[in-house]
Amino acid sequence: MLYANQSQTNITVGLQYQGLLERLMFSTLTSVPCCVFLFINGTMLFTLRSKHVFRETSRYILLYNLLFADTVQMAQGQLMYVLAVCRLRLTYPVCGAFVMLAHLTSKISPLTLVVMSLERYVAVCYPLRHATIITIRNTGMVICVIWTISSLNVLTQVLLMINFHVEDLVSLQMKDFCGKESILFDEISDLYEKAYTYFLFISAGIVVSCSYVGVMIAARSASTDRDSAVKARKTLLLHLVQLGLSLSSTLHNLLLIAISKIPDRILSVRIQIFLYVLVIILPRCLSALIYGIRDQTIRPVLVYHLCCQWKNSPLLSVVPVKAKISIFIAS
């Protein structure tokens, strides 16, 4: 989330207490998982654009939007981490652009999860009207609304930042590492950001929870496809987990404040790096792992691309025959 930038700043400040070898080791342990997850997310994005069925199905279009925002955010966060580890300080305009990008992408995920949950709710509770309600055109309009809302939030943040007198700065070159706290000078900006974030996640949690309850009630109806209802219920439960992990990212900064009080600075940095991988990086790849493994349509194509199109890969042996045929025949 947005707090990844501040996490990277706090981690790097503590790195000065470490030797070069240990600093290199922890940087590698942080960067390698991120690169692996970026590869998985990138392959998943390519997979979702490689077949006609993915490009023409609303559920997969929404998944692409979710993965795209998560991937951009993870790549941007890792870039900021590398810059901080290398002790490269940016200018305020460049840092502001990175922070605003983090603001934009961090709000896309919960909004997309809300729409994906409502799509599953309509599919189970109103199966006969699903094709007329959830169309490609409506999905595109909803995605535009999601990006518009997030962009307006960023624009509001920029307008609040303008209240800060730039002339008070001696130089545009930052003296500290780029992070949220280095840009949001005004207390009003910080309060607005917190209020918007908490309101967004509480609202999203309520919508996803209500969708889950609605699907559970529909599953007891004799007219509802029980298998479809069970799958939708599991999917909505996973959406709640994803939303919770995303919310944990917003609370990450509070954990860093508590950790910073540990007298042993090296131990503090080690804990911060562990939290960065667990709370910041891992949730960004969770969507690709969940849908890549669970979805019977995506899984064979994703495995095919992950194996670099090795037709004789042993991983493909577990794929059903029909799914394997669809890999090579489906357009």
Side-chain angles (χ1 to χ4, degrees):
M1 299 294 290
L2 173 64
Y3 296 91
N5 291 340
Q6 185 63 21
S7 169
Q8 294 138 18
T9 300
N10 293 336
I11 291 173
T12 309
V13 169
L15 286 174
Q16 60 184 325
Y17 295 93
Q18 297 175 291
L20 177 61
L21 181 60
E22 187 174 5
R23 188 172 65 197
L24 179 62
M25 181 185 68
F26 279 110
S27 299
T28 303
L29 291 176
T30 304
S31 299
V32 170
C34 184
C35 292
V36 171
F37 292 155
L38 282 174
F39 172 74
I40 295 175
N41 276 22
T43 305
M44 187 72 167
L45 288 173
F46 176 79
T47 299
L48 291 173
R49 302 302 298 174
S50 64
K51 301 296 177 183
H52 180 76
V53 64
F54 299 142
R55 298 192 297 268
E56 298 297 328
T57 304
S58 297
R59 181 158 58 102
Y60 297 127
I61 295 174
L62 291 171
L63 175 59
Y64 183 91
N65 186 64
L66 176 66
L67 280 172
F68 179 78
D70 285 346
T71 304
V72 171
Q73 187 177 358
M74 183 163 55
Q76 180 262 347
Q78 185 61 22
L79 175 61
M80 296 300 299
Y81 175 81
V82 172
L83 291 174
V85 169
C86 296
R87 300 182 181 180
L88 298 177
R89 291 173 175 80
L90 305 176
T91 61
Y92 279 102
V94 175
C95 181
F98 277 119
V99 172
M100 290 303 105
L101 177 63
H103 266 287
L104 176 64
T105 54
S106 65
K107 302 306 183 291
I108 296 295
S109 297
L111 290 174
T112 306
L113 285 173
V114 167
V115 178
M116 293 176 72
S117 300
L118 292 176
E119 188 273 333
R120 286 294 84 197
Y121 173 79
V122 173
V124 174
C125 299
Y126 304 97
L128 299 179
R129 300 178 59 186
H130 180 266
T132 57
I133 296 176
I134 311 298
T135 62
I136 301 299
R137 181 175 180 273
N138 291 342
T139 303
M141 292 178 60
V142 168
I143 291 177
C144 290
V145 170
I146 290 175
W147 282 89
T148 301
I149 293 175
S150 300
S151 299
L152 290 175
N153 173 56
V154 171
L155 179 61
T156 304
Q157 287 283 6
V158 172
L159 293 177
L160 291 175
M161 287 171 58
I162 293 178
N163 292 332
F164 178 77
H165 299 289
V166 180
E167 59 268 16
D168 293 341
L169 293 175
V170 179
S171 173
L172 291 179
Q173 186 68 37
M174 300 184 65
K175 296 180 180 179
D176 202 352
F177 298 104
C178 180
K180 167 181 169 289
E181 302 299 333
S182 303
I183 294 297
L184 300 181
F185 305 98
D186 194 0
E187 183 179 356
I188 297 179
S189 299
D190 187 54
L191 290 176
Y192 168 80
E193 193 272 332
K194 290 180 180 178
Y196 182 88
T197 300
Y198 294 147
F199 171 78
L200 176 62
F201 277 94
I202 291 174
S203 302
I206 292 175
V207 172
V208 177
S209 299
C210 291
S211 300
Y212 180 78
V213 173
V215 169
M216 287 186 62
I217 295 175
R220 299 178 180 179
S221 174
S223 60
T224 303
D225 185 352
R226 292 187 178 274
D227 292 337
S228 176
V230 170
K231 291 181 180 178
R233 187 175 62 185
K234 292 180 179 179
T235 300
L236 290 173
L237 188 59
L238 288 172
H239 287 341
L240 279 175
V241 174
Q242 290 177 272
L243 198 62
L245 289 174
S246 298
L247 180 59
S248 68
S249 299
T250 65
L251 303 177
H252 187 233
N253 204 38
L254 297 177
L255 296 176
L256 293 181
I257 295 175
I259 293 173
S260 63
K261 298 179 181 179
I262 298 177
D264 190 341
R265 293 295 299 173
I266 295 180
L267 177 61
S268 174
V269 171
R270 290 171 179 173
I271 297 176
Q272 289 175 20
I273 292 174
F274 174 76
L275 288 177
Y276 172 66
V277 175
L278 182 65
V279 179
I280 302 299
I281 296 181
L282 184 59
R284 305 282 78 77
C285 192
L286 189 61
S287 299
L289 294 176
I290 289 176
Y291 286 92
I293 296 175
R294 293 183 68 248
D295 195 289
Q296 297 296 327
T297 306
I298 295 178
R299 184 170 60 186
V301 186
L302 178 62
V303 171
Y304 176 71
H305 289 304
L306 284 175
C307 294
C308 302
Q309 300 187 3
W310 291 345
K311 298 181 180 180
N312 296 325
S313 172
L315 291 177
L316 292 176
S317 62
V318 300
V319 179
V321 175
K322 292 182 180 180
K324 292 178 70 174
I325 294 175
S326 65
I327 294 176
F328 303 102
I329 296 180
S331 58

